[in-house]
Amino acid sequence: MNPLKFYMIFFFLFTATVFLQPEENGSFPPLDTNEKFVYGTKRENGKEMLFLYRENNENMNTVIPVGQWENVEEPYIQFSADYKMCFFAKYTFKDIDTGGRGSLRIFDLYLANGHTGKILYVTKVISHFRISRDGKYLCYIKDSTNMAEVKIILYDIELLKTSNEFEWRSNRPIDGGWYIRRSMDNTFRILGTWEGGYICTVAVLNLAAKEFKVLWDKTDSQGEIFLPRVSDEDWLDDVIKQRTYPNIKKFEEW
């Protein structure tokens, strides 16, 4: 083989390997089989703080600190279904200008993996995102300021790369916002709303089939009076509710 060609192949493989390795940002003893993560939040010196702990399921009165991070807001703390993986997004204070349509807040997403005892940097993400309940996928809306169409990104956390992209144009532009909810069956629901939080269009992303499907779109019927609201119980998910679970959230200080 030509030496130059061999060097180019080696360089490509080496570079690909390097960039596929997650960046480690700390470590701790892996969780035992009878342990899970719990957390607390606090405002300190004007900054939102996340405090992460490990807790024995048989002795819930004792928690052991794992770490603490600043610039982590409540909505951006998410867990896998078994609470052995904690994902948290730190605000980087670097926004994207969308050309008159507002700006997108950019976050650095991290994973505290209780199975391995490592804290890893995952990727950059905007504010509207969800982690799948098995901790394998990240789903986020690329540009939530576009009221006529959205691009939904499905990111493979294990492979550290985008798995699929889905483009969705509603019948008519919305005037509220776009939201993502995760469901108990490990699917994602993407919601479009009118002002006031009325849900006018809904799609579902099936992770098993990698299939995106619009369930209904009522954006062209503003006279509809029986639309659900994004704050209704049926449209919430465990990420929103977790701050009310005393066995998961230990304290909140403001």
Side-chain angles (χ1 to χ4, degrees):
M1 180 183 292
N2 184 293
L4 179 58
K5 186 176 181 181
F6 174 82
Y7 172 78
M8 292 178 65
I9 294 175
F10 173 81
F11 179 80
F12 171 79
L13 292 175
F14 174 79
T15 304
T17 301
V18 169
F19 281 101
L20 284 177
Q21 297 301 312
E23 179 184 343
E24 187 170 337
N25 284 262
S27 62
F28 56 94
L31 298 183
D32 293 334
T33 55
N34 62 345
E35 286 185 313
K36 69 176 184 296
F37 283 131
V38 296
Y39 78 109
T41 58
K42 181 180 181 181
R43 181 183 293 274
E44 191 171 88
N45 298 323
K47 297 179 179 179
E48 312 287 347
M49 301 287 296
L50 162 65
F51 296 83
L52 187 65
Y53 305 91
R54 59 196 299 153
E55 178 184 77
N56 189 303
N57 295 322
E58 299 172 0
N59 183 10
M60 301 177 66
N61 295 321
T62 302
V63 295
I64 300 173
V66 173
Q68 64 183 62
W69 297 269
E70 60 182 30
N71 300 322
V72 180
E73 300 175 15
E74 177 75 42
Y76 312 129
I77 304 167
Q78 300 181 23
F79 296 88
S80 57
D82 59 5
Y83 292 95
K84 289 185 179 292
M85 302 172 74
C86 175
F87 296 84
F88 57 94
K90 295 181 61 178
Y91 183 35
T92 63
F93 300 97
K94 295 178 181 179
D95 298 340
I96 294 178
D97 184 2
T98 59
R101 292 181 289 129
S103 61
L104 295 175
R105 298 181 69 193
I106 305 301
F107 297 79
D108 286 324
L109 182 66
Y110 293 87
L111 161 62
N113 192 331
H115 299 288
T116 64
K118 294 183 178 180
I119 299 169
L120 306 171
Y121 170 76
V122 179
T123 187
K124 290 189 179 297
V125 67
I126 69 167
S127 56
H128 295 273
F129 75 91
R130 279 294 187 269
I131 302 295
S132 62
R133 286 175 55 80
D134 58 12
K136 294 182 178 180
Y137 289 96
L138 157 70
C139 180
Y140 67 93
I141 296 172
K142 191 170 184 178
D143 181 358
S144 59
T145 66
N146 191 332
M147 298 291 114
E149 61 181 350
V150 290
K151 179 177 287 187
I152 295 93
I153 307 298
L154 186 64
Y155 185 89
D156 190 312
I157 294 172
E158 294 180 332
L159 298 179
L160 295 176
K161 68 176 184 179
T162 297
S163 172
N164 298 81
E165 296 186 11
F166 305 92
E167 293 187 0
W168 177 22
R169 176 181 288 273
S170 54
N171 292 341
R172 293 184 59 185
I174 65 173
D175 57 14
W178 299 101
Y179 300 85
I180 299 179
R181 301 284 188 263
R182 70 182 192 181
S183 301
M184 298 299 288
D185 60 358
N186 212 35
T187 61
F188 293 111
R189 289 190 295 182
I190 295 87
L191 319 175
T193 68
W194 294 128
E195 287 188 4
Y198 292 96
I199 301 172
C200 52
T201 186
V202 178
V204 63
L205 174 52
N206 186 313
L207 290 178
K210 301 297 191 299
E211 179 184 51
F212 182 84
K213 180 180 180 180
V214 177
L215 298 184
W216 46 269
D217 187 335
K218 298 183 179 181
T219 56
D220 50 3
S221 58
Q222 290 203 43
E224 176 70 55
I225 61 174
F226 298 109
L227 292 176
R229 300 186 70 173
V230 72
S231 58
D232 290 347
E233 177 71 19
D234 290 343
W235 296 94
L236 304 180
D237 62 9
D238 62 323
V239 175
I240 296 174
K241 296 177 181 179
Q242 73 188 9
R243 67 188 305 169
T244 66
Y245 299 160
N247 62 325
I248 299 300
K249 185 163 189 182
K250 295 302 178 180
F251 67 85
E252 182 174 34
E253 299 179 13
W254 300 103

